[in-house]
Amino acid sequence: MSSSRSVRKLEVVSPVPADIDIANSVEPFHISEIAKDLNLSPNHYDLYGKYKAKVLLSVLDELESSGNGYYVVVGGITPTPLGEGKSTTTVGLCQALGAYLDRKVVTCLRQPSQGPTFGIKGGAAGGGYSQVIPMDEFNLHLTGDIHAITAANNLLAAAIDTRIFHESTQSDKALFNRLCPPNKEGKRKFSDIMFRRLKKLGITKTQPEDLTPEEVKKFARLDIDPNSITWRRVMDVNDRFLRKITVGQGPEEKGMVRETGFDISVASEIMAVLALTTSLADMRERLGKMVIGNSKAGEPITADDLGGGGALTVLMKDAINPTLMQTLEGTPVLVHAGPFANIAHGNSSIVADKIALKLVGPQGFVVTEAGFGADIGTEKFMNIKCRYSDLRPQCAVIVATIRALKMHGGGPEVVAGKPLDHAYLNENVPLVEAGCVNLARHIINTKAYGVNVVVAVNKFSTDTEAEMNAVMNAAMAAGAFNAVICTHHAHGGKGAVDLGVAVQRACASGNQQLKYLYPLDISIKEKIEAIAKSYGASGVEYTEQAEKQIEMYTKQGFSGLPICMAKTQYSFSHNAAEKGAPGGFILPIRDVRASIGAGFIYPLVGTMSTMPGLPTRPCFYEIDLDTATGKVIGLS
């Protein structure tokens, strides 16, 4: 063991205490100690209190010529509503690699939304003895990135309605004169951002007074079609009553009433932009290219057309830096971005992964998690994230539980908040074996990307040896590189040492070569159909609305973008009740939308909620502050 590392040996207790109690029982290292282990000097980061720091992008420039470490993505089988422990496995694996196998390692995780923290799901810092700490800081405000996204998103929303309002009440000339007001000398000039719109319109003139009346109209009047607006306001709270609202009801708005709604902040396209950007300059371009709707003539209207791309970048300038934290055993974690895993790609940021790969160096490991099952998170990691990052993973982990496999084998419905049926608590090997068809399809699909697949069986106390052997045999028969039992929830890194060894071997075998599921230069429909085939579908059907949108995006020049399928995480198919490995179904595409700034088209398979609601008894009933110690209690 390298004595210079900030490694902490855990005193584990059985039965495993509540997550927050474990997190509060450990005094974290000062974050400067964690930074020092990664050879980061104080000028490489900004401190946010004692236990968090923002790592600056300048680190990437300094380490440009250094080699990368091994790159590992953690996905899962199709989950139950309880989740199968992907975050916990990701953290446990890294604790094993860093604290027990003496490897340089960085965990890369998404930042959780506060919505689920106070709603149904609770926090997302891992669990048991495999957690990110301080757990309360991780799950709450962190370093304010989501607040920055909220502010930027809502500034753009305000700009849209205001522009429609001003255009409706002014002539072309008056509008133009207000957009380009005279300075003290009486001269008008274009602001820098206006040249982006002029260029888009093919106008090469640089002085406002040189524009013809026709050019003045084209430049000044965006003529936004209110019915085409896709940009909604956001907040980081589960509030079902904001899903559909009416704006413009004040008397000063002169009857300009419009129906719109709120999404949860992590569903904002700005979050997806943050996750897929590769530099500050790239983020500026992506934010400016975000399309908010169309003009009445059918032309896409962007944030730069509204004059806001630069201001949005200013609001996001600190959010682009990943946040450094630590696990319970003192291994480093980079927390950054948290896009939705259905309407967006559900992965942490490219910049965090790139920084981490340089910091661990050759022979080190970066482990990053992909949201939902491998059919969604890992597929989008490969086909969207790796395309923009130009990074190549060596190994993909698939997390499985006996509980979920029993469900896929035909077990009773699993419902969050209700006790598990006895079938899940007693040995039933045939049920597990029947459910392994789900695991097998995930292995086959993931292997097709040209990476080695390691199956991590996340062990629960009720699982039996015969059931676990059935899973490992099925995994190897389906082509997994290895399959191992993990007890990291109960034992921390020590319980994931076998997984760590298997991942090291899988990375070092050296025969990986990333293969995408589809090329970018085929049509939108052909790309959708390639993904549908991987789900087991025999065909795809499109509504009239979906056909119309595909035609429009193709005409607007966006057909070369990758596809980000928005479908249920609870089945390979569009029907959440279809467990196991369904096949021969027709996948219905209800609508097709686009996140042009982030850089993907997202077809909607069924209805996707982008603003969760609160249950009758939300998590916040348990959350409080110990006013004597200042510690948060009751977070799950």
Side-chain angles (χ1 to χ4, degrees), residues 237-246 260-262 611-614:
V237 174
N238 288 7
D239 191 345
R240 66 186 307 136
F241 284 90
L242 291 177
R243 287 171 181 167
K244 190 178 266 194
I245 60 163
T246 308
T260 178
F262 272 77
M611 172 55 90
L614 289 170

Side-chain angles (χ1 to χ4, degrees), residues 204-320:
T204 54
K205 295 166 185 173
T206 57
Q207 299 305 318
E209 57 269 23
D210 294 343
L211 267 61
T212 65
E214 183 57 37
E215 288 170 333
V216 164
K217 181 175 183 163
K218 273 170 72 178
F219 169 78
R221 200 166 288 282
L222 301 181
D223 202 25
I224 297 166
D225 176 1
N227 296 321
S228 75
I229 296 169
T230 52
W231 198 264
R232 290 153 59 96
R233 289 161 174 83
V234 299
M235 62 167 19
D236 200 34
V237 174
N238 288 7
D239 191 345
R240 66 186 307 136
F241 284 90
L242 291 177
R243 287 171 181 167
K244 190 178 266 194
I245 60 163
T246 308
V247 293
Q249 300 218 15
E252 295 83 7
E253 279 60 66
K254 302 177 182 168
M256 293 199 59
V257 175
R258 182 172 77 83
E259 209 175 72
T260 178
F262 272 77
D263 294 330
I264 197 158
S265 296
V266 292
S268 170
E269 182 176 348
I270 296 175
M271 176 62 93
V273 166
L274 178 67
L276 288 171
T277 197
T278 53
S279 67
L280 202 52
D282 179 60
M283 183 171 76
R284 168 64 187 89
E285 293 309 309
R286 287 174 181 270
L287 290 171
K289 283 196 298 193
M290 294 187 305
V291 172
I292 59 88
N294 297 326
S295 70
K296 286 172 183 161
E299 294 299 318
I301 302 295
T302 66
D304 274 346
D305 287 328
L306 284 154
L312 302 183
T313 310
V314 168
L315 286 170
M316 293 293 294
K317 72 178 176 63
D318 296 321
I320 197 172

Side-chain angles (χ1 to χ4, degrees), residues 189-198 284:
K189 57 175 269 191
F190 293 120
S191 63
D192 286 348
I193 200 167
M194 290 176 173
F195 286 106
R196 291 175 179 246
R197 174 152 179 81
L198 289 165
R284 168 64 187 89

Side-chain angles (χ1 to χ4, degrees), residues 28 40 42 54 72 79 95 115 154 173 182 273 307 315-316 374 385 403 488 507 581 590 602 629:
L40 288 169
K54 282 273 199 187
V72 180
Q95 290 180 175
N154 293 344
K173 191 178 177 186
V273 166
L315 286 170
M316 293 293 294
K385 186 176 177 180
R403 173 178 73 195
H488 46 275
C507 288
R590 182 176 65 84
Y602 63 99
T629 63

